Amino acid sequence: MLQIDRDLATMLDYYCRHADRERPWCLVIAGDLVDFVGMAIAPKPDAALQTPLTEEEKTHGLGSSRDHAEAKMRVVAQRHALVFCKLAQFVAQGHSLILIRGNHDVEFHWRKARRAFVQALMERAEGLSDRPAARHDYERRIEFHPWFYYVKGLLYVEHGHQYDEACSYHHVLNPVSPKDPHRISWSLSDILLRYVARPFPGVGAEGHDNNSILDYVRLATSMGGRRCLRLGSRFSAAIVHTFKEWQAHRHPHKARVRAKHERKLRRLARRLGLPEERMLALSALAAPPITGRFLGIVRSLFLDGVIAFGIVVGGLGIVGFLGLAPWPYLPALSTALAVGLYVWMQQVRVADAAAGLREGAQRIAELMPARYIVMGHTHSPAVETLADGVTYVNVGSWGVDELDGGERAAPRTHLVIRHVDGKPHAQFYAWDPATGPLPVNLSR
């Protein structure tokens, strides 16, 4: 984690040194700058929290209410002081900072969390304390976008989690629980990250996306008895919490949550000068969240395999007991059914997120004219031509994924758009702390 902070700090320094005085940089972070969901932070003894902790929060740390998010934001700023100092300097030098909300920092939905972020930067910027006009100008250069950032004809940026059914939220502009609107309504990925992935290195930062039940079995058997039981207990608790989320979206207040989302959508359309119908069409591109579908939960959490296994075992027992088939045939029948179940359970339980983002980008290009459609989320950098004059870019990741007890290095990729002779010119780079940005060619 310290190396990530150092690399990001050196990159910010580099681009500050290579800035155009006539055209300051605009740094657009495509989501997941802060991992609110993944962190497990106990409240400080002197913390003045207005929202009492639930039993789940007592076990896993501060939750997703506005005051919990504010407290977590302050801890993050302290733990990553180097990055916050460099971001503060970046904005102080006249550059702009735009933060788009991702699924890991969905708690930027709360004004208190956003304000805590801005305050952390201002505390580290020199010469602002006694200059109200300078403070106002500084704050104006920091923007939060709850869904996407759009420069007509040039650039469309969003995180991309809305096209991943394991990570999408029911209402992107109002992602709260109908049952408890003071808290965020977590996605399946959020729940598994909080309950399973973070406490058990090796599951992976993406958590569940491409794991089968056999992956979990292999992981569990490699842990030893006590940790294996702990993993099973946590996975069972995650299943219970997921069904609670499904139940919450049948609460009578769900219509209020949706209505508020739609009001925000209309206001956003007016602010951007776009037809409301286009915004509705853009919103409709999102993948239906797994937490909203009972059978989707059953299939995604391998419960269909468990049920099928129970039916097969019970059926074979009945066949043998009633003498419906000769006993010598039962081993062969059992083997055939076991192989069938094995193949079935090997299937990916969640739709391919990368494919979902590419398809979403293709359809976005039809609604929001732009030369570059940019996303993140999948941690896999990509540059693809969608149509004449339209390019899809996935900016990859700066984080490190833990996989099978090891680590997968982050690509440290980023897109730079400069104006050359009045025309935008884009180049995809990977950051090397020793040499600076290295051009990357991923076009296809």
Side-chain angles (χ1 to χ4, degrees), residues 84-119:
F84 276 77
C85 284
K86 294 301 181 181
L87 285 172
Q89 293 171 14
F90 179 85
V91 178
Q93 291 182 25
H95 308 297
S96 301
L97 175 62
I98 292 174
L99 283 80
I100 297 168
R101 204 159 69 202
N103 56 305
H104 285 257
D105 51 16
V106 67
E107 287 162 64
F108 274 137
H109 169 72
W110 304 118
R111 184 187 299 272
K112 281 190 172 185
R114 301 194 300 270
R115 184 61 197 166
F117 179 90
V118 174
Q119 189 63 35

PDB file of all heavy atoms in Angstrom, residues 84-119:
ATOM      1  N   PHE A  84      -2.638  12.692   0.086  1.00  0.00           N
ATOM      2  CA  PHE A  84      -3.486  13.861   0.306  1.00  0.00           C
ATOM      3  C   PHE A  84      -2.673  15.154   0.232  1.00  0.00           C
ATOM      4  O   PHE A  84      -3.169  16.177  -0.251  1.00  0.00           O
ATOM      5  CB  PHE A  84      -4.235  13.733   1.633  1.00  0.00           C
ATOM      6  CG  PHE A  84      -5.493  12.925   1.516  1.00  0.00           C
ATOM      7  CD1 PHE A  84      -5.452  11.539   1.445  1.00  0.00           C
ATOM      8  CD2 PHE A  84      -6.731  13.543   1.415  1.00  0.00           C
ATOM      9  CE1 PHE A  84      -6.603  10.796   1.307  1.00  0.00           C
ATOM     10  CE2 PHE A  84      -7.895  12.808   1.274  1.00  0.00           C
ATOM     11  CZ  PHE A  84      -7.831  11.421   1.213  1.00  0.00           C
ATOM     12  N   CYS A  85      -1.433  15.117   0.686  1.00  0.00           N
ATOM     13  CA  CYS A  85      -0.568  16.297   0.557  1.00  0.00           C
ATOM     14  C   CYS A  85      -0.310  16.614  -0.916  1.00  0.00           C
ATOM     15  O   CYS A  85      -0.357  17.779  -1.326  1.00  0.00           O
ATOM     16  CB  CYS A  85       0.753  16.064   1.283  1.00  0.00           C
ATOM     17  SG  CYS A  85       0.645  16.190   3.072  1.00  0.00           S
ATOM     18  N   LYS A  86      -0.038  15.597  -1.720  1.00  0.00           N
ATOM     19  CA  LYS A  86       0.239  15.821  -3.132  1.00  0.00           C
ATOM     20  C   LYS A  86      -1.005  16.278  -3.890  1.00  0.00           C
ATOM     21  O   LYS A  86      -0.933  17.128  -4.788  1.00  0.00           O
ATOM     22  CB  LYS A  86       0.806  14.546  -3.761  1.00  0.00           C
ATOM     23  CG  LYS A  86       2.176  14.150  -3.220  1.00  0.00           C
ATOM     24  CD  LYS A  86       3.214  15.249  -3.447  1.00  0.00           C
ATOM     25  CE  LYS A  86       4.583  14.848  -2.942  1.00  0.00           C
ATOM     26  NZ  LYS A  86       5.595  15.915  -3.146  1.00  0.00           N
ATOM     27  N   LEU A  87      -2.169  15.700  -3.557  1.00  0.00           N
ATOM     28  CA  LEU A  87      -3.415  16.165  -4.177  1.00  0.00           C
ATOM     29  C   LEU A  87      -3.691  17.618  -3.787  1.00  0.00           C
ATOM     30  O   LEU A  87      -4.139  18.426  -4.606  1.00  0.00           O
ATOM     31  CB  LEU A  87      -4.576  15.270  -3.755  1.00  0.00           C
ATOM     32  CG  LEU A  87      -4.653  13.884  -4.398  1.00  0.00           C
ATOM     33  CD1 LEU A  87      -5.740  13.060  -3.739  1.00  0.00           C
ATOM     34  CD2 LEU A  87      -4.915  13.993  -5.902  1.00  0.00           C
ATOM     35  N   ALA A  88      -3.419  17.954  -2.519  1.00  0.00           N
ATOM     36  CA  ALA A  88      -3.610  19.326  -2.054  1.00  0.00           C
ATOM     37  C   ALA A  88      -2.723  20.285  -2.831  1.00  0.00           C
ATOM     38  O   ALA A  88      -3.157  21.374  -3.248  1.00  0.00           O
ATOM     39  CB  ALA A  88      -3.329  19.420  -0.559  1.00  0.00           C
ATOM     40  N   GLN A  89      -1.469  19.903  -3.051  1.00  0.00           N
ATOM     41  CA  GLN A  89      -0.545  20.744  -3.810  1.00  0.00           C
ATOM     42  C   GLN A  89      -0.986  20.862  -5.264  1.00  0.00           C
ATOM     43  O   GLN A  89      -0.887  21.937  -5.874  1.00  0.00           O
ATOM     44  CB  GLN A  89       0.867  20.157  -3.741  1.00  0.00           C
ATOM     45  CG  GLN A  89       1.497  20.201  -2.359  1.00  0.00           C
ATOM     46  CD  GLN A  89       2.799  19.428  -2.294  1.00  0.00           C
ATOM     47  OE1 GLN A  89       3.373  19.063  -3.317  1.00  0.00           O
ATOM     48  NE2 GLN A  89       3.267  19.157  -1.083  1.00  0.00           N
ATOM     49  N   PHE A  90      -1.468  19.756  -5.823  1.00  0.00           N
ATOM     50  CA  PHE A  90      -1.929  19.742  -7.211  1.00  0.00           C
ATOM     51  C   PHE A  90      -3.029  20.789  -7.423  1.00  0.00           C
ATOM     52  O   PHE A  90      -2.986  21.592  -8.359  1.00  0.00           O
ATOM     53  CB  PHE A  90      -2.427  18.339  -7.544  1.00  0.00           C
ATOM     54  CG  PHE A  90      -2.965  18.164  -8.935  1.00  0.00           C
ATOM     55  CD1 PHE A  90      -2.111  17.888  -9.987  1.00  0.00           C
ATOM     56  CD2 PHE A  90      -4.327  18.253  -9.187  1.00  0.00           C
ATOM     57  CE1 PHE A  90      -2.602  17.715 -11.270  1.00  0.00           C
ATOM     58  CE2 PHE A  90      -4.829  18.081 -10.465  1.00  0.00           C
ATOM     59  CZ  PHE A  90      -3.963  17.812 -11.519  1.00  0.00           C
ATOM     60  N   VAL A  91      -4.026  20.779  -6.534  1.00  0.00           N
ATOM     61  CA  VAL A  91      -5.130  21.736  -6.651  1.00  0.00           C
ATOM     62  C   VAL A  91      -4.640  23.151  -6.347  1.00  0.00           C
ATOM     63  O   VAL A  91      -5.055  24.125  -6.995  1.00  0.00           O
ATOM     64  CB  VAL A  91      -6.291  21.339  -5.715  1.00  0.00           C
ATOM     65  CG1 VAL A  91      -7.425  22.364  -5.790  1.00  0.00           C
ATOM     66  CG2 VAL A  91      -6.813  19.948  -6.074  1.00  0.00           C
ATOM     67  N   ALA A  92      -3.730  23.305  -5.381  1.00  0.00           N
ATOM     68  CA  ALA A  92      -3.214  24.626  -5.015  1.00  0.00           C
ATOM     69  C   ALA A  92      -2.471  25.284  -6.166  1.00  0.00           C
ATOM     70  O   ALA A  92      -2.418  26.524  -6.252  1.00  0.00           O
ATOM     71  CB  ALA A  92      -2.303  24.507  -3.798  1.00  0.00           C
ATOM     72  N   GLN A  93      -1.918  24.492  -7.063  1.00  0.00           N
ATOM     73  CA  GLN A  93      -1.186  25.040  -8.200  1.00  0.00           C
ATOM     74  C   GLN A  93      -2.109  25.427  -9.355  1.00  0.00           C
ATOM     75  O   GLN A  93      -1.642  25.771 -10.440  1.00  0.00           O
ATOM     76  CB  GLN A  93      -0.128  24.041  -8.673  1.00  0.00           C
ATOM     77  CG  GLN A  93       1.006  23.858  -7.673  1.00  0.00           C
ATOM     78  CD  GLN A  93       2.077  22.906  -8.180  1.00  0.00           C
ATOM     79  OE1 GLN A  93       2.247  22.720  -9.387  1.00  0.00           O
ATOM     80  NE2 GLN A  93       2.813  22.286  -7.254  1.00  0.00           N
ATOM     81  N   GLY A  94      -3.413  25.372  -9.122  1.00  0.00           N
ATOM     82  CA  GLY A  94      -4.368  25.835 -10.123  1.00  0.00           C
ATOM     83  C   GLY A  94      -5.005  24.755 -10.959  1.00  0.00           C
ATOM     84  O   GLY A  94      -5.813  25.048 -11.849  1.00  0.00           O
ATOM     85  N   HIS A  95      -4.668  23.495 -10.694  1.00  0.00           N
ATOM     86  CA  HIS A  95      -5.260  22.386 -11.446  1.00  0.00           C
ATOM     87  C   HIS A  95      -6.583  21.960 -10.810  1.00  0.00           C
ATOM     88  O   HIS A  95      -6.870  22.301  -9.662  1.00  0.00           O
ATOM     89  CB  HIS A  95      -4.286  21.209 -11.494  1.00  0.00           C
ATOM     90  CG  HIS A  95      -2.920  21.575 -11.977  1.00  0.00           C
ATOM     91  ND1 HIS A  95      -2.690  22.061 -13.245  1.00  0.00           N
ATOM     92  CD2 HIS A  95      -1.700  21.558 -11.351  1.00  0.00           C
ATOM     93  CE1 HIS A  95      -1.404  22.311 -13.392  1.00  0.00           C
ATOM     94  NE2 HIS A  95      -0.779  22.025 -12.261  1.00  0.00           N
ATOM     95  N   SER A  96      -7.375  21.204 -11.561  1.00  0.00           N
ATOM     96  CA  SER A  96      -8.694  20.763 -11.090  1.00  0.00           C
ATOM     97  C   SER A  96      -8.680  19.280 -10.768  1.00  0.00           C
ATOM     98  O   SER A  96      -7.946  18.502 -11.384  1.00  0.00           O
ATOM     99  CB  SER A  96      -9.759  21.049 -12.156  1.00  0.00           C
ATOM    100  OG  SER A  96      -9.819  22.429 -12.457  1.00  0.00           O
ATOM    101  N   LEU A  97      -9.530  18.906  -9.835  1.00  0.00           N
ATOM    102  CA  LEU A  97      -9.665  17.514  -9.417  1.00  0.00           C
ATOM    103  C   LEU A  97     -11.127  17.119  -9.493  1.00  0.00           C
ATOM    104  O   LEU A  97     -11.986  17.777  -8.892  1.00  0.00           O
ATOM    105  CB  LEU A  97      -9.140  17.331  -7.989  1.00  0.00           C
ATOM    106  CG  LEU A  97      -9.317  15.946  -7.355  1.00  0.00           C
ATOM    107  CD1 LEU A  97      -8.555  14.887  -8.140  1.00  0.00           C
ATOM    108  CD2 LEU A  97      -8.869  15.967  -5.895  1.00  0.00           C
ATOM    109  N   ILE A  98     -11.411  16.062 -10.244  1.00  0.00           N
ATOM    110  CA  ILE A  98     -12.784  15.573 -10.403  1.00  0.00           C
ATOM    111  C   ILE A  98     -12.835  14.129  -9.948  1.00  0.00           C
ATOM    112  O   ILE A  98     -12.071  13.283 -10.428  1.00  0.00           O
ATOM    113  CB  ILE A  98     -13.250  15.694 -11.866  1.00  0.00           C
ATOM    114  CG1 ILE A  98     -13.383  17.175 -12.241  1.00  0.00           C
ATOM    115  CG2 ILE A  98     -14.560  14.956 -12.082  1.00  0.00           C
ATOM    116  CD1 ILE A  98     -13.685  17.413 -13.698  1.00  0.00           C
ATOM    117  N   LEU A  99     -13.716  13.836  -9.004  1.00  0.00           N
ATOM    118  CA  LEU A  99     -13.872  12.482  -8.478  1.00  0.00           C
ATOM    119  C   LEU A  99     -15.226  11.922  -8.895  1.00  0.00           C
ATOM    120  O   LEU A  99     -16.271  12.512  -8.588  1.00  0.00           O
ATOM    121  CB  LEU A  99     -13.762  12.465  -6.955  1.00  0.00           C
ATOM    122  CG  LEU A  99     -12.354  12.568  -6.366  1.00  0.00           C
ATOM    123  CD1 LEU A  99     -11.896  14.019  -6.365  1.00  0.00           C
ATOM    124  CD2 LEU A  99     -12.320  12.030  -4.956  1.00  0.00           C
ATOM    125  N   ILE A 100     -15.176  10.805  -9.605  1.00  0.00           N
ATOM    126  CA  ILE A 100     -16.391  10.097  -9.996  1.00  0.00           C
ATOM    127  C   ILE A 100     -16.602   8.956  -9.011  1.00  0.00           C
ATOM    128  O   ILE A 100     -15.653   8.299  -8.599  1.00  0.00           O
ATOM    129  CB  ILE A 100     -16.262   9.562 -11.432  1.00  0.00           C
ATOM    130  CG1 ILE A 100     -16.109  10.740 -12.402  1.00  0.00           C
ATOM    131  CG2 ILE A 100     -17.466   8.714 -11.808  1.00  0.00           C
ATOM    132  CD1 ILE A 100     -15.701  10.326 -13.787  1.00  0.00           C
ATOM    133  N   ARG A 101     -17.823   8.742  -8.632  1.00  0.00           N
ATOM    134  CA  ARG A 101     -18.116   7.739  -7.621  1.00  0.00           C
ATOM    135  C   ARG A 101     -18.053   6.337  -8.219  1.00  0.00           C
ATOM    136  O   ARG A 101     -18.634   6.069  -9.275  1.00  0.00           O
ATOM    137  CB  ARG A 101     -19.511   8.002  -7.050  1.00  0.00           C
ATOM    138  CG  ARG A 101     -19.727   7.461  -5.667  1.00  0.00           C
ATOM    139  CD  ARG A 101     -20.882   8.182  -5.002  1.00  0.00           C
ATOM    140  NE  ARG A 101     -22.165   7.889  -5.591  1.00  0.00           N
ATOM    141  CZ  ARG A 101     -23.228   8.675  -5.491  1.00  0.00           C
ATOM    142  NH1 ARG A 101     -23.132   9.833  -4.853  1.00  0.00           N
ATOM    143  NH2 ARG A 101     -24.372   8.333  -6.020  1.00  0.00           N
ATOM    144  N   GLY A 102     -17.330   5.441  -7.541  1.00  0.00           N
ATOM    145  CA  GLY A 102     -17.300   4.035  -7.933  1.00  0.00           C
ATOM    146  C   GLY A 102     -18.044   3.193  -6.922  1.00  0.00           C
ATOM    147  O   GLY A 102     -18.695   3.709  -6.009  1.00  0.00           O
ATOM    148  N   ASN A 103     -17.949   1.882  -7.043  1.00  0.00           N
ATOM    149  CA  ASN A 103     -18.662   1.031  -6.091  1.00  0.00           C
ATOM    150  C   ASN A 103     -17.935   0.927  -4.751  1.00  0.00           C
ATOM    151  O   ASN A 103     -18.569   0.686  -3.719  1.00  0.00           O
ATOM    152  CB  ASN A 103     -18.897  -0.365  -6.679  1.00  0.00           C
ATOM    153  CG  ASN A 103     -17.625  -1.050  -7.128  1.00  0.00           C
ATOM    154  OD1 ASN A 103     -16.875  -0.497  -7.929  1.00  0.00           O
ATOM    155  ND2 ASN A 103     -17.369  -2.254  -6.647  1.00  0.00           N
ATOM    156  N   HIS A 104     -16.623   1.143  -4.724  1.00  0.00           N
ATOM    157  CA  HIS A 104     -15.914   1.090  -3.449  1.00  0.00           C
ATOM    158  C   HIS A 104     -16.051   2.391  -2.667  1.00  0.00           C
ATOM    159  O   HIS A 104     -15.947   2.387  -1.440  1.00  0.00           O
ATOM    160  CB  HIS A 104     -14.432   0.766  -3.663  1.00  0.00           C
ATOM    161  CG  HIS A 104     -14.180  -0.667  -3.990  1.00  0.00           C
ATOM    162  ND1 HIS A 104     -13.686  -1.576  -3.077  1.00  0.00           N
ATOM    163  CD2 HIS A 104     -14.376  -1.363  -5.136  1.00  0.00           C
ATOM    164  CE1 HIS A 104     -13.584  -2.763  -3.650  1.00  0.00           C
ATOM    165  NE2 HIS A 104     -13.999  -2.662  -4.896  1.00  0.00           N
ATOM    166  N   ASP A 105     -16.244   3.503  -3.363  1.00  0.00           N
ATOM    167  CA  ASP A 105     -16.434   4.775  -2.653  1.00  0.00           C
ATOM    168  C   ASP A 105     -17.833   5.344  -2.880  1.00  0.00           C
ATOM    169  O   ASP A 105     -18.028   6.545  -2.982  1.00  0.00           O
ATOM    170  CB  ASP A 105     -15.359   5.798  -3.012  1.00  0.00           C
ATOM    171  CG  ASP A 105     -15.172   5.993  -4.511  1.00  0.00           C
ATOM    172  OD1 ASP A 105     -16.062   5.579  -5.275  1.00  0.00           O
ATOM    173  OD2 ASP A 105     -14.140   6.559  -4.901  1.00  0.00           O
ATOM    174  N   VAL A 106     -18.815   4.437  -2.918  1.00  0.00           N
ATOM    175  CA  VAL A 106     -20.210   4.862  -3.074  1.00  0.00           C
ATOM    176  C   VAL A 106     -20.641   5.765  -1.919  1.00  0.00           C
ATOM    177  O   VAL A 106     -21.576   6.559  -2.048  1.00  0.00           O
ATOM    178  CB  VAL A 106     -21.137   3.627  -3.191  1.00  0.00           C
ATOM    179  CG1 VAL A 106     -21.171   2.835  -1.902  1.00  0.00           C
ATOM    180  CG2 VAL A 106     -22.547   4.036  -3.601  1.00  0.00           C
ATOM    181  N   GLU A 107     -19.927   5.680  -0.790  1.00  0.00           N
ATOM    182  CA  GLU A 107     -20.299   6.504   0.360  1.00  0.00           C
ATOM    183  C   GLU A 107     -19.990   7.983   0.169  1.00  0.00           C
ATOM    184  O   GLU A 107     -20.360   8.814   1.009  1.00  0.00           O
ATOM    185  CB  GLU A 107     -19.632   5.950   1.621  1.00  0.00           C
ATOM    186  CG  GLU A 107     -20.307   4.660   2.070  1.00  0.00           C
ATOM    187  CD  GLU A 107     -19.468   3.832   3.031  1.00  0.00           C
ATOM    188  OE1 GLU A 107     -19.206   4.323   4.144  1.00  0.00           O
ATOM    189  OE2 GLU A 107     -19.086   2.710   2.674  1.00  0.00           O
ATOM    190  N   PHE A 108     -19.356   8.341  -0.948  1.00  0.00           N
ATOM    191  CA  PHE A 108     -19.272   9.750  -1.326  1.00  0.00           C
ATOM    192  C   PHE A 108     -20.662  10.291  -1.681  1.00  0.00           C
ATOM    193  O   PHE A 108     -20.809  11.472  -1.976  1.00  0.00           O
ATOM    194  CB  PHE A 108     -18.320   9.952  -2.501  1.00  0.00           C
ATOM    195  CG  PHE A 108     -16.874  10.114  -2.089  1.00  0.00           C
ATOM    196  CD1 PHE A 108     -15.859   9.476  -2.782  1.00  0.00           C
ATOM    197  CD2 PHE A 108     -16.525  10.929  -1.020  1.00  0.00           C
ATOM    198  CE1 PHE A 108     -14.537   9.629  -2.414  1.00  0.00           C
ATOM    199  CE2 PHE A 108     -15.206  11.089  -0.638  1.00  0.00           C
ATOM    200  CZ  PHE A 108     -14.208  10.445  -1.342  1.00  0.00           C
ATOM    201  N   HIS A 109     -21.647   9.422  -1.673  1.00  0.00           N
ATOM    202  CA  HIS A 109     -23.040   9.871  -1.798  1.00  0.00           C
ATOM    203  C   HIS A 109     -23.381  10.886  -0.711  1.00  0.00           C
ATOM    204  O   HIS A 109     -24.174  11.808  -0.940  1.00  0.00           O
ATOM    205  CB  HIS A 109     -23.972   8.660  -1.687  1.00  0.00           C
ATOM    206  CG  HIS A 109     -25.419   9.003  -1.534  1.00  0.00           C
ATOM    207  ND1 HIS A 109     -26.190   9.520  -2.555  1.00  0.00           N
ATOM    208  CD2 HIS A 109     -26.251   8.919  -0.448  1.00  0.00           C
ATOM    209  CE1 HIS A 109     -27.415   9.733  -2.126  1.00  0.00           C
ATOM    210  NE2 HIS A 109     -27.490   9.378  -0.859  1.00  0.00           N
ATOM    211  N   TRP A 110     -22.765  10.713   0.453  1.00  0.00           N
ATOM    212  CA  TRP A 110     -23.078  11.590   1.581  1.00  0.00           C
ATOM    213  C   TRP A 110     -22.261  12.883   1.511  1.00  0.00           C
ATOM    214  O   TRP A 110     -21.048  12.854   1.309  1.00  0.00           O
ATOM    215  CB  TRP A 110     -22.780  10.890   2.901  1.00  0.00           C
ATOM    216  CG  TRP A 110     -23.481   9.586   3.094  1.00  0.00           C
ATOM    217  CD1 TRP A 110     -22.901   8.364   3.257  1.00  0.00           C
ATOM    218  CD2 TRP A 110     -24.898   9.364   3.162  1.00  0.00           C
ATOM    219  NE1 TRP A 110     -23.849   7.395   3.416  1.00  0.00           N
ATOM    220  CE2 TRP A 110     -25.094   7.969   3.364  1.00  0.00           C
ATOM    221  CE3 TRP A 110     -26.011  10.202   3.066  1.00  0.00           C
ATOM    222  CZ2 TRP A 110     -26.357   7.412   3.467  1.00  0.00           C
ATOM    223  CZ3 TRP A 110     -27.274   9.630   3.170  1.00  0.00           C
ATOM    224  CH2 TRP A 110     -27.451   8.264   3.372  1.00  0.00           C
ATOM    225  N   ARG A 111     -22.913  13.998   1.712  1.00  0.00           N
ATOM    226  CA  ARG A 111     -22.241  15.298   1.708  1.00  0.00           C
ATOM    227  C   ARG A 111     -21.143  15.354   2.765  1.00  0.00           C
ATOM    228  O   ARG A 111     -20.084  15.952   2.552  1.00  0.00           O
ATOM    229  CB  ARG A 111     -23.264  16.421   1.942  1.00  0.00           C
ATOM    230  CG  ARG A 111     -22.673  17.826   1.857  1.00  0.00           C
ATOM    231  CD  ARG A 111     -23.706  18.866   2.271  1.00  0.00           C
ATOM    232  NE  ARG A 111     -24.854  18.818   1.383  1.00  0.00           N
ATOM    233  CZ  ARG A 111     -24.952  19.496   0.246  1.00  0.00           C
ATOM    234  NH1 ARG A 111     -23.945  20.260  -0.155  1.00  0.00           N
ATOM    235  NH2 ARG A 111     -26.039  19.425  -0.503  1.00  0.00           N
ATOM    236  N   LYS A 112     -21.382  14.743   3.932  1.00  0.00           N
ATOM    237  CA  LYS A 112     -20.388  14.778   5.006  1.00  0.00           C
ATOM    238  C   LYS A 112     -19.085  14.107   4.579  1.00  0.00           C
ATOM    239  O   LYS A 112     -17.999  14.569   4.938  1.00  0.00           O
ATOM    240  CB  LYS A 112     -20.932  14.099   6.269  1.00  0.00           C
ATOM    241  CG  LYS A 112     -21.884  14.962   7.078  1.00  0.00           C
ATOM    242  CD  LYS A 112     -22.164  14.311   8.422  1.00  0.00           C
ATOM    243  CE  LYS A 112     -22.958  15.255   9.323  1.00  0.00           C
ATOM    244  NZ  LYS A 112     -23.133  14.685  10.679  1.00  0.00           N
ATOM    245  N   ALA A 113     -19.176  13.011   3.832  1.00  0.00           N
ATOM    246  CA  ALA A 113     -17.969  12.324   3.364  1.00  0.00           C
ATOM    247  C   ALA A 113     -17.229  13.187   2.352  1.00  0.00           C
ATOM    248  O   ALA A 113     -15.992  13.282   2.378  1.00  0.00           O
ATOM    249  CB  ALA A 113     -18.328  10.969   2.765  1.00  0.00           C
ATOM    250  N   ARG A 114     -17.977  13.812   1.450  1.00  0.00           N
ATOM    251  CA  ARG A 114     -17.347  14.683   0.454  1.00  0.00           C
ATOM    252  C   ARG A 114     -16.687  15.877   1.128  1.00  0.00           C
ATOM    253  O   ARG A 114     -15.574  16.277   0.774  1.00  0.00           O
ATOM    254  CB  ARG A 114     -18.384  15.154  -0.571  1.00  0.00           C
ATOM    255  CG  ARG A 114     -19.070  14.016  -1.326  1.00  0.00           C
ATOM    256  CD  ARG A 114     -19.816  14.515  -2.549  1.00  0.00           C
ATOM    257  NE  ARG A 114     -20.870  15.470  -2.257  1.00  0.00           N
ATOM    258  CZ  ARG A 114     -22.129  15.154  -2.004  1.00  0.00           C
ATOM    259  NH1 ARG A 114     -22.504  13.864  -1.969  1.00  0.00           N
ATOM    260  NH2 ARG A 114     -23.041  16.091  -1.777  1.00  0.00           N
ATOM    261  N   ARG A 115     -17.391  16.431   2.103  1.00  0.00           N
ATOM    262  CA  ARG A 115     -16.850  17.589   2.801  1.00  0.00           C
ATOM    263  C   ARG A 115     -15.581  17.215   3.580  1.00  0.00           C
ATOM    264  O   ARG A 115     -14.617  17.997   3.615  1.00  0.00           O
ATOM    265  CB  ARG A 115     -17.914  18.139   3.771  1.00  0.00           C
ATOM    266  CG  ARG A 115     -17.498  19.400   4.495  1.00  0.00           C
ATOM    267  CD  ARG A 115     -17.231  20.523   3.525  1.00  0.00           C
ATOM    268  NE  ARG A 115     -16.473  21.606   4.139  1.00  0.00           N
ATOM    269  CZ  ARG A 115     -15.885  22.577   3.458  1.00  0.00           C
ATOM    270  NH1 ARG A 115     -15.975  22.609   2.139  1.00  0.00           N
ATOM    271  NH2 ARG A 115     -15.202  23.508   4.070  1.00  0.00           N
ATOM    272  N   ALA A 116     -15.556  16.043   4.165  1.00  0.00           N
ATOM    273  CA  ALA A 116     -14.376  15.599   4.904  1.00  0.00           C
ATOM    274  C   ALA A 116     -13.185  15.439   3.963  1.00  0.00           C
ATOM    275  O   ALA A 116     -12.045  15.736   4.338  1.00  0.00           O
ATOM    276  CB  ALA A 116     -14.665  14.285   5.621  1.00  0.00           C
ATOM    277  N   PHE A 117     -13.433  14.987   2.739  1.00  0.00           N
ATOM    278  CA  PHE A 117     -12.359  14.855   1.752  1.00  0.00           C
ATOM    279  C   PHE A 117     -11.789  16.222   1.396  1.00  0.00           C
ATOM    280  O   PHE A 117     -10.565  16.423   1.401  1.00  0.00           O
ATOM    281  CB  PHE A 117     -12.886  14.160   0.494  1.00  0.00           C
ATOM    282  CG  PHE A 117     -11.858  13.994  -0.586  1.00  0.00           C
ATOM    283  CD1 PHE A 117     -11.076  12.854  -0.641  1.00  0.00           C
ATOM    284  CD2 PHE A 117     -11.666  14.977  -1.552  1.00  0.00           C
ATOM    285  CE1 PHE A 117     -10.110  12.701  -1.632  1.00  0.00           C
ATOM    286  CE2 PHE A 117     -10.707  14.844  -2.539  1.00  0.00           C
ATOM    287  CZ  PHE A 117      -9.926  13.695  -2.578  1.00  0.00           C
ATOM    288  N   VAL A 118     -12.669  17.160   1.070  1.00  0.00           N
ATOM    289  CA  VAL A 118     -12.220  18.513   0.705  1.00  0.00           C
ATOM    290  C   VAL A 118     -11.482  19.160   1.867  1.00  0.00           C
ATOM    291  O   VAL A 118     -10.436  19.799   1.689  1.00  0.00           O
ATOM    292  CB  VAL A 118     -13.415  19.378   0.258  1.00  0.00           C
ATOM    293  CG1 VAL A 118     -12.976  20.820   0.012  1.00  0.00           C
ATOM    294  CG2 VAL A 118     -14.055  18.794  -1.000  1.00  0.00           C
ATOM    295  N   GLN A 119     -12.015  18.990   3.076  1.00  0.00           N
ATOM    296  CA  GLN A 119     -11.383  19.578   4.246  1.00  0.00           C
ATOM    297  C   GLN A 119      -9.987  19.002   4.457  1.00  0.00           C
ATOM    298  O   GLN A 119      -9.050  19.739   4.824  1.00  0.00           O
ATOM    299  CB  GLN A 119     -12.245  19.314   5.487  1.00  0.00           C
ATOM    300  CG  GLN A 119     -11.800  20.054   6.732  1.00  0.00           C
ATOM    301  CD  GLN A 119     -11.895  21.561   6.582  1.00  0.00           C
ATOM    302  OE1 GLN A 119     -12.806  22.074   5.918  1.00  0.00           O
ATOM    303  NE2 GLN A 119     -10.951  22.292   7.170  1.00  0.00           N
TER     304      GLN A 119
END
